[in-house]
Amino acid sequence: MIWSCRSAAGELAGAFHGLYIPIHHNEHIAAAALRADKRRVQRAGRWLVRHSGDRCSATVGLALLATGWAEEDTALI
């Protein structure tokens, strides 16, 4: 599930801590992102990349951004 508010995004970041998140394309993350609203996916991905305290959450954020990236996300990716 992709969250839209900052407090919920912070909770989402904690959900990935300690999990193995592959750094290459992951079809499961991509499929989840494609099922959700594109703007919410981008907001969640941007938040995770900018504010995550660990590599796992930042990697999920990058995967979300890579699924439906916008020009302004190039610097983050």
Side-chain angles (χ1 to χ4, degrees), residues 13-33:
F16 301 116
H17 181 71
L19 294 178
Y20 169 72
I21 308 294
I23 60 170
H24 52 80
H25 175 76
N26 183 288
E27 63 186 58
H28 300 289
I29 294 172

Side-chain angles (χ1 to χ4, degrees), residues 2-75:
I2 306 301
W3 305 97
S4 61
C5 70
R6 290 176 193 230
S7 62
E11 293 170 15
L12 182 64
F16 301 116
H17 181 71
L19 294 178
Y20 169 72
I21 308 294
I23 60 170
H24 52 80
H25 175 76
N26 183 288
E27 63 186 58
H28 300 289
I29 294 172
L34 291 172
R35 285 192 304 269
D37 177 68
K38 182 178 179 176
R39 285 187 286 165
R40 292 181 76 192
V41 170
Q42 287 176 325
R43 277 184 277 168
R46 289 172 185 150
W47 192 94
L48 288 168
V49 170
R50 290 180 178 136
H51 303 286
S52 291
D54 64 68
R55 182 174 46 98
C56 299
S57 298
T59 302
V60 170
L62 288 170
L64 293 175
L65 290 177
T67 301
W69 67 279
E71 187 72 31
E72 63 267 19
D73 296 328
T74 303

